[in-house]
Amino acid sequence: MRLQHLLDGIEITEIIGDRNPKITGVVSDHRKVKPGYAFVCYQGLNVDGHSFIAGAVSNGAIVIIAEKQTSDLPNGVTGIVTPNGRKAQALCAANWHGNPAKRLKLTGITGTNGKTSTAHLTYGILKAQGLKTAVLGTVGHTYDAHDSTSNEKSPSTIDIPALLTTPDAFELHAMLKQIADADIEHVVMETSSQGLAQHRLAGLTFKTAVFTNLTQDHLDYHGTMENYLTAKMMLFAQLSPEGVAILNADSPTTSHIIECISSHGNILTYGLENKADLQAQDVEVSLKQLAFTAVPNGNGSINNSGVSLQKIKAKIRLLGSYNIYNALAAIGVGIRYNCSDAAIREGLAETVVPGRFERVTSLEEQDKDFAVIVDYAHTPDGLENVLNAARGITEGKLISVFGCGGDRDRGKRPKMGAISTQIADMSVITSDNPRTENPEEIISEIVSNLPHDAAYLCIPERRAAIRHAIMDAHPGDVVVIAGKGHENYQEIHGKRFPFDDREVASEILQHLPM
């Protein structure tokens, strides 16, 4: 590829050297540079990528794309200066792979909680409609692909582990190319605040943008809730002119979003409490399923999103009443893409999301007189939602097991301690992913403001904490193990060790006396 094509759409303030050499690759990791490559660098949070320019040149880079002047480059190396290296990286990645996203209909989902469940429910609905769809997000990236060299007519499922909710730009566009080349039409994508703020999605245009909610999280990165919201709003700035914004009417933040995109006009709201285009009625909650009726405001009228709204009786396998919001959002996307009532019902009924209010059983699938639930809830709002949902199906005692991650927003720790001890009958406070912090110091911050009569225990070793909670459970009780959900590791001192809450709980259940 010639340099001019690689730089298409990138803001450039200075070029030194050959303006159009032939490029054989483009990376932002100097260790991956090969002869003929372009190297993109920027000032990071902790590391300045410009310090690796010499190494990139030594490895054969012939183009340096940077945020600082590069006049000291050797002969034969072109220097490009751009005001935003992260955005340049995303656009370079898109250009290098032939802008595969232009062949796809992108649905972006943002919000503090519910992104993963909403994405997978949406994925289920679109697939039930017969639409070729991929889903990218926290629990992994999944799509169906036909092998042209095989005689098998049925597609094979491609599952790619996710290191980040929103992948690095080079990984993302390489994956989007694979997806587009597999003749897939739709991509349902979780869009994290960090991914948006770091311009990993720069240059993408979304046909649909979904907002779930906004509560405290990631303030270690964003600093303030205002900055956090600004990052989320970047998704709606990338909505196509004919696109549809699907918004939670019960979130206080939605009024601000509507105000910002009111000229856009294509808005569909959903909710339970406030007036919305799509509302849930006749809710039924049990340990087996969640049932409700999605009712359009105006008895089937067409709102300003330009899509026809229908009354839909839904049943989902995701437990917890808060999942009604996630299901409503997914129904909104289904309606937006003209999915049938039958496809919407089928997609919702068949979807299972790993680690989202997931009931754990023993290896022999023995029924117990109490329930063990694993959930990814790791924010104050998320923990409150999952515990309130569990309280609604608890006949006896509610036991909470949770911790807080290290090297993350410390302000939420005492809030989560207060929430757990206020809602649960007993809280077992333990280690989550301590990363580089001391688990006992994290726990001390969680319990720092708890009243002396609060019912809690501190058991730093997570396996021991889970065992204590399950062994303490009696008929009618519910044990909620929160924080890690689908994760199959525990990160301690910068290393990841195998640990899956679901497997640990299942092993303990297996060995309980009959």
Side-chain angles (χ1 to χ4, degrees):
M1 177 180 288
R2 291 291 178 179
L3 178 59
Q4 287 184 359
H5 295 298
L6 184 69
L7 299 178
D8 187 30
I10 297 173
E11 183 180 355
I12 297 170
T13 58
E14 183 180 15
I15 299 180
I16 299 174
D18 187 347
R19 290 175 172 264
N20 201 28
K22 185 176 181 180
I23 306 300
T24 58
V26 55
V27 294
S28 59
D29 184 341
H30 74 287
R31 296 166 295 185
K32 297 180 179 179
V33 170
K34 296 179 181 180
Y37 271 39
F39 173 63
V40 186
C41 59
Y42 49 82
Q43 174 64 58
L45 290 175
N46 302 311
V47 179
D48 186 353
H50 298 84
S51 63
F52 301 112
I53 290 177
V57 171
S58 176
N59 287 338
I62 62 170
V63 173
I64 302 297
I65 303 172
E67 296 174 338
K68 302 176 183 178
Q69 289 186 348
T70 53
S71 56
D72 57 344
L73 293 174
N75 290 334
V77 178
T78 299
I80 308 291
V81 180
T82 180
N84 192 318
R86 290 185 184 274
K87 186 178 292 186
Q89 172 183 288
L91 296 176
C92 279
N95 292 336
W96 179 258
H97 289 288
N99 292 286
K102 291 183 178 179
R103 293 185 274 156
L104 301 165
K105 294 179 180 178
L106 303 182
T107 296
I109 301 171
T110 197
T112 305
N113 300 307
K115 294 188 297 296
T116 299
S117 296
T118 301
H120 281 263
L121 289 165
T122 301
Y123 174 65
I125 289 171
L126 297 184
K127 285 194 67 178
Q129 180 66 23
L131 301 174
K132 294 182 178 180
T133 306
V135 60
L136 313 181
T138 305
V139 300
H141 314 308
T142 302
Y143 63 95
D144 291 337
H146 289 272
D147 184 352
S148 59
T149 64
S150 172
N151 293 324
E152 296 291 333
K153 293 183 178 181
S154 60
S156 58
T157 300
I158 307 298
D159 287 307
I160 303 171
L163 296 177
L164 297 170
T165 296
T166 303
D168 164 87
F170 289 114
E171 177 189 359
L172 173 61
H173 286 279
M175 195 162 18
L176 291 178
K177 185 178 188 304
Q178 293 176 18
I179 291 169
D181 288 348
D183 294 326
I184 290 169
E185 182 181 9
H186 288 267
V187 174
V188 180
M189 181 189 307
E190 293 181 53
T191 61
S192 69
S193 58
Q194 285 135 312
L196 288 162
Q198 293 174 3
H199 301 286
R200 294 180 217 158
L201 304 175
L204 296 182
T205 300
F206 290 84
K207 296 289 186 182
T208 309
V210 178
F211 170 72
T212 60
N213 50 64
L214 190 82
T215 58
Q216 182 176 334
D217 197 15
H218 302 303
L219 296 192
D220 55 302
Y221 179 85
H222 297 288
T224 66
M225 289 297 292
E226 289 75 17
N227 291 341
Y228 185 31
L229 173 58
T230 297
K232 296 290 188 187
M233 288 297 300
M234 292 174 69
L235 173 64
F236 298 94
Q238 294 176 229
L239 192 61
S240 67
E242 74 281 4
V244 176
I246 299 177
L247 311 174
N248 181 354
D250 293 342
S251 172
T253 310
T254 290
S255 59
H256 173 75
I257 298 175
I258 291 175
E259 182 179 347
C260 292
I261 65 173
S262 58
S263 60
H264 196 285
N266 300 324
I267 297 171
L268 188 153
T269 58
Y270 64 92
L272 279 78
E273 300 171 1
N274 296 324
K275 183 178 180 181
D277 300 314
L278 200 60
Q279 291 184 299
Q281 296 179 2
D282 304 325
V283 176
E284 299 177 16
V285 181
S286 73
L287 266 176
K288 293 184 178 180
Q289 69 177 13
L290 188 65
F292 65 94
T293 301
V295 180
N297 179 44
N299 297 318
S301 62
I302 297 178
N303 78 331
N304 65 346
S305 69
V307 296
S308 178
L309 305 181
Q310 314 152 63
K311 179 183 287 188
I312 297 171
K313 293 184 177 181
K315 294 180 180 180
I316 62 175
R317 295 166 68 181
L318 300 182
L319 305 180
S321 55
Y322 58 87
N323 273 308
I324 296 172
Y325 285 103
N326 302 328
L328 285 173
I331 291 171
V333 180
I335 294 173
R336 185 263 188 275
Y337 289 120
N338 298 312
C339 294
S340 68
D341 291 9
I344 291 174
R345 288 194 299 269
E346 178 185 341
L348 294 178
E350 296 299 320
T351 297
V352 176
V353 185
R356 269 53 177 185
F357 215 93
E358 183 176 352
R359 186 171 183 181
V360 179
T361 61
S362 68
L363 294 179
E364 287 83 11
E365 300 296 322
Q366 297 167 342
D367 290 330
K368 301 297 179 183
D369 293 328
F370 60 86
V372 178
I373 305 293
V374 170
D375 194 88
Y376 189 55
H378 60 281
T379 67
D381 182 66
L383 185 62
E384 183 175 7
N385 285 338
V386 73
L387 291 180
N388 278 331
R391 172 61 72 192
I393 56 175
T394 301
E395 296 177 359
K397 182 172 58 178
L398 176 60
I399 304 171
S400 166
V401 182
F402 81 100
C404 290
D407 304 330
R408 297 294 187 268
D409 180 7
R410 295 174 60 181
K412 67 183 182 183
R413 295 173 184 175
K415 294 180 179 179
M416 292 177 68
I419 287 168
S420 181
T421 54
Q422 288 167 7
I423 300 174
D425 298 294
M426 172 56 69
S427 296
V428 183
I429 302 171
T430 187
S431 178
D432 190 283
N433 289 320
R435 299 183 176 89
T436 65
E437 288 194 64
N438 184 325
E440 294 187 1
E441 292 179 0
I442 296 174
I443 291 172
S444 69
E445 292 186 19
I446 293 173
V447 304
S448 60
N449 294 327
L450 295 181
H452 70 278
D453 59 346
Y456 70 90
L457 290 173
C458 297
I459 304 178
E461 205 277 314
R462 192 171 181 92
R463 183 182 296 270
I466 293 171
R467 176 178 296 277
H468 177 90
I470 292 176
M471 296 298 291
D472 190 45
H474 293 83
D477 292 352
V478 173
V479 178
V480 173
I481 306 170
K484 292 175 58 58
H486 66 283
E487 292 180 350
N488 59 4
Y489 64 86
Q490 192 171 24
E491 188 171 340
I492 304 172
H493 299 306
K495 295 183 179 179
R496 291 186 173 186
F497 299 89
F499 195 99
D500 189 316
D501 285 350
R502 297 164 297 177
E503 291 182 1
V504 170
S506 181
E507 291 170 3
I508 295 169
L509 286 168
Q510 182 185 8
H511 293 98
L512 285 180
M514 295 296 291

